[in-house]
Amino acid sequence: MIHPTAIIDPSAQLHADVQVGAYSIIGARSEIGSGTRIRPHAVIGSDTRIGSDCEIFQFASVGEDPQDLSYRGEQTRLEMGDRCVIREGVTMSRGTEKGGGVTRIGSDGLFMAQVHVAHDCQVGNGVIFSNAASLAGHCEIGDHATLGGFSLIHQFSLIGRRAFTSMGAALNRDLPPFCLASGNYARAIGINKVGLRRAGISAEAIQALQHAFRVMVRQRQGSAGAAQLAPLMAQHPEVEEFVAFIQASKRGVLRSGRQVTGIE
């Protein structure tokens, strides 16, 4: 059902069962997949592709012009997967030519109220962005990462798979997969044990990751540490992923800090 007050560009392509609420706007050349619901007063910008069974709540703005001074109206894109929930007031910008031209959002993400995803970000599957979490441009967020409320992520930062930031964390370096970060500026405070247990990661793999965290993050042993961890890397793919992320980081990873009460 499309409300008669909705404004839809003639070049937009909507599946027959898409629902569009009152006063919503859908821009030129956009595509909306089957089962997606767009609540009243939402804005879908031009050249935006949204997958199936998504829900976009009121006053969200998805796929509008990037907030970049170099942008001059080039035709860039935003692409979103399936089953995403975009809550009230979320803003997601299209890409820029210099950043590759596309902002990508994976499937099964939950983006709570007032979240911002800037131009050229690459966001994985199954993520949770709590209220007002914000990405600057060109960030990359791994699958099943969780950003606590009011987390702030510096441009070009990487956050690994199943990492977790606490509320108000401000990250100006990369956060390895499976890690917790807290503080302003944030420090890496340990392994995301609770999240890993919930994901079915074995106790042995979690213990191996804790050892790898001590070697590579707390002690910052670099290549020597990676060599020391080779047997664990061969046994546990999670450790191999963790070490490879740190070795590939261009910005450098967060330094370690003390444990924060209430976070495991």
Side-chain angles (χ1 to χ4, degrees):
M1 182 185 73
I2 298 176
H3 196 276
T5 61
I7 300 174
I8 301 174
D9 189 277
S11 64
Q13 299 181 33
L14 280 64
H15 193 276
D17 63 0
V18 168
Q19 299 180 39
V20 182
Y23 302 103
S24 287
I25 299 173
I26 299 177
R29 300 173 299 278
S30 288
E31 302 175 23
I32 315 294
S34 173
T36 289
R37 297 173 56 194
I38 299 173
R39 298 286 189 99
H41 297 279
V43 175
I44 309 301
S46 61
D47 300 292
T48 297
R49 188 176 72 195
I50 296 174
S52 300
D53 299 313
C54 294
E55 187 157 18
I56 300 176
F57 280 69
Q58 52 267 32
F59 307 109
S61 176
V62 177
E64 265 298 343
D65 293 354
Q67 298 179 110
D68 188 294
L69 291 174
S70 70
Y71 180 71
R72 295 291 183 270
E74 299 89 354
Q75 190 172 324
T76 58
R77 310 189 312 281
L78 182 143
E79 299 177 356
M80 180 185 298
D82 302 329
R83 298 175 301 279
C84 286
V85 176
I86 312 298
R87 293 300 306 235
E88 299 84 349
V90 168
T91 54
M92 295 179 168
S93 302
R94 296 194 311 277
T96 62
E97 279 196 344
K98 67 181 181 182
V102 58
T103 301
R104 288 189 177 88
I105 311 294
S107 297
D108 300 300
L110 170 58
F111 299 85
M112 299 185 192
Q114 309 301 322
V115 161
H116 176 63
V117 177
H119 58 86
D120 304 296
C121 288
Q122 310 294 308
V123 179
N125 300 315
V127 301
I128 298 174
F129 285 27
S130 298
N131 293 341
S134 295
L135 302 183
H138 311 278
C139 291
E140 296 184 20
I141 310 299
D143 292 348
H144 303 288
T146 298
L147 303 187
F150 296 89
S151 292
L152 302 175
I153 314 301
H154 194 280
Q155 59 261 35
F156 294 99
S157 293
L158 310 181
I159 293 180
R161 185 168 69 96
R162 295 197 183 278
F164 183 102
T165 70
S166 68
M167 62 179 182
L171 278 67
N172 63 346
R173 294 190 178 188
D174 297 342
L175 178 63
F178 317 118
C179 281
L180 294 168
S182 183
N184 186 354
Y185 282 112
R187 296 289 182 121
I189 61 173
I191 293 297
N192 182 15
K193 293 184 291 184
V194 172
L196 293 180
R197 285 198 294 264
R198 289 174 178 170
I201 304 299
S202 70
E204 293 79 11
I206 294 173
Q207 187 175 18
L209 282 167
Q210 289 179 290
H211 179 63
F213 181 88
R214 286 192 295 271
V215 171
M216 299 298 292
V217 181
R218 287 194 179 139
Q219 300 171 8
R220 305 183 77 83
Q221 291 190 30
S223 298
Q228 175 187 334
L229 293 169
L232 287 178
M233 293 168 64
Q235 186 176 0
H236 300 289
E238 296 86 359
V239 176
E240 182 178 17
E241 180 180 349
F242 177 85
V243 173
F245 181 100
I246 293 173
Q247 291 184 310
S249 173
K250 297 178 180 178
R251 294 181 60 86
V253 301
L254 294 177
R255 294 187 177 275
S256 65
R258 67 180 181 83
Q259 186 79 1
V260 176
T261 302
I263 298 178
E264 295 189 49

